[in-house]
Structures are given as C-alpha cells and as structure tokens.
Amino acid sequence: GANVNALIDDGETPLLRAAYEGSEEVVKLLVDAGADLSATLEDGGCALTIASQEGHVGVVNVLLSTGYDIDTGKCGIESLYIASEMGHVAVVRLLLNAGIDANAEPESGCSPLRAAVDKGHFEVVKVLEEAGAEGESYVIVTTFTPLSDRAASSVSCTVECFACMEEVPSSEIIVLHEGHDDHLSKMHSMCRLCTRKSISVARDQER
C-alpha cells in the first residue's frame, strides 16, 4: 500500500498537511494507518501545534485521543502557547484538559497567559487562569478613550481589574504608560483599589 509517511510538498507528511487543512476524517484514517505522530516541519511544528494554530478543534481532539505524546519536543507547550496567542478558546481548553501545564513556557520564554493578554484574547485569559496560570496582574478596559483625548472627553471607561476581581471606576486606574498595536492599546497601570501594578490591554473604542 501507499506509504502514509511519504513526504509531499515542503517536507510535509500527509498527516501534517491534513492537520493544517483541518481534515478530521483524513487525520483519523492516517493515524489508524500508522502515520508517524512525531513528524515535524523544518521549523519543528508538529501535527498538534499546526492544528492548534489553525483552531481545528476536531483535529486536536483526534490527536489527543490517540495518546499523542504532548511532552515530545515541547509539542504540547508550544501548542498551548500558539492556541492562546491566536485566541482559540476551545483548543486551549482541550490542551489544558489533556494535562498541559498552564504555566509552562515555550522556547520563546513568553507564557500562554502573557500571549493571550498581549493579543487581547480575554476569554482565553479566563480559561488559563481557571487552570492555574499565574502572571502579572492586568486590567481589561472594555471601552477606551486614547490618553491624549481623555482629559477633554466625557467618554468614561468600564474597567475590570483582574487583580482584585472588581469593576473599578476608570478614575481609579492610574495610567503610567501607553502604546498602540493593531487596534489594541497597551498600558502599564496601577489599580488604586488593590494597589497592584498591571499589564493592561484595551480594545480601541470604535470610531
């Protein structure tokens, strides 16, 4: 029969290609036929990492149900990190339930929690924290007025401080530094109520 591990374009195996395309049934067939689960791309990406990056929940579930070795080459850690960075909540839940440590860091040194905070994926942040992820406290601002316009604007902020788990009047948030990145505004702030400095992420107010 055909070699299920024969390389195709760019050094991919059929399993890696199917994981990228989200072909759940094809992944099942390949696994049952003895596909090499440890195969990786040149950059080290494994089938689980690829599926996690693309948000293919079904493929991730199939791979994990095979007893996929999440510890090989930090595959599990990298998968959790990339899923958190991309905001794939369901994938993050699957990976955490499979036993991947919420506080483990990939080779980049950036934790899944930090990646989710930096990208503004607040649902992922909550899931990671429920799984025990630890990191610097931060404030989520759901309505935002740029710092330069704040003094002259009557628009208020609804702020939820995840350090003290309270909704805080915007006047109680001290903005120490502010910058912009792809429609997100990042601030280093301090909440007066719990006096904790924080990594802060705000979605820009729709214009």
Side-chain angles (χ1 to χ4, degrees):
N3 180 3
V4 295
N5 295 309
L7 297 182
I8 49 180
D9 297 340
D10 299 323
E12 286 181 309
T13 65
L15 178 63
L16 295 175
R17 173 65 62 84
Y20 174 75
E21 294 179 347
S23 305
E24 184 177 344
E25 291 303 318
V26 174
V27 169
K28 286 181 181 178
L29 289 172
L30 290 169
V31 170
D32 290 343
D36 181 7
L37 297 177
S38 65
T40 62
L41 297 173
E42 290 184 2
D43 64 5
C46 63
L48 185 63
T49 302
I50 293 168
S52 298
Q53 178 172 346
E54 300 302 317
H56 297 318
V57 179
V59 173
V60 171
N61 193 41
V62 168
L63 292 171
L64 292 175
S65 68
T66 66
Y68 201 98
D69 187 357
I70 58 176
D71 297 320
T72 298
K74 290 194 172 181
C75 183
I77 297 170
E78 294 289 346
S79 298
L80 180 60
Y81 170 80
I82 195 64
S84 300
E85 184 180 45
M86 300 301 292
H88 300 314
V89 181
V91 173
V92 169
R93 285 197 179 99
L94 280 175
L95 295 171
L96 291 170
N97 289 339
I100 298 172
D101 184 359
N103 289 300
E105 294 186 357
E107 293 182 359
S108 66
C110 180
S111 70
L113 179 62
R114 179 62 183 271
V117 169
D118 282 350
K119 294 295 184 179
H121 299 313
F122 308 138
E123 288 302 314
V124 173
V125 168
K126 291 179 181 179
V127 170
L128 289 168
E129 287 197 324
E130 288 170 359
E134 299 175 350
E136 296 181 73
S137 58
Y138 51 88
V139 176
I140 290 175
V141 181
T142 54
T143 304
F144 176 72
T145 306
L147 186 61
S148 58
D149 300 336
R150 203 165 293 164
S153 174
S154 60
V155 178
S156 62
C157 294
T158 300
V159 179
E160 185 176 2
C161 177
F162 272 44
C164 56
M165 299 303 292
E166 297 288 345
E167 288 196 357
V168 183
S170 57
S171 59
E172 298 300 319
I173 300 298
I174 306 170
V175 179
L176 306 176
H177 173 72
E178 182 175 354
H180 297 267
D181 179 20
D182 296 333
H183 306 296
L184 293 177
S185 294
K186 300 177 184 178
M187 298 180 287
H188 291 277
S189 313
M190 184 173 72
C191 171
R192 293 181 193 270
L193 298 190
C194 62
T195 66
R196 290 179 64 177
K197 291 183 180 179
S198 61
I199 299 171
S200 311
V201 177
R203 291 192 180 280
D204 284 349
Q205 180 184 339
E206 293 185 3
R207 304 183 188 286

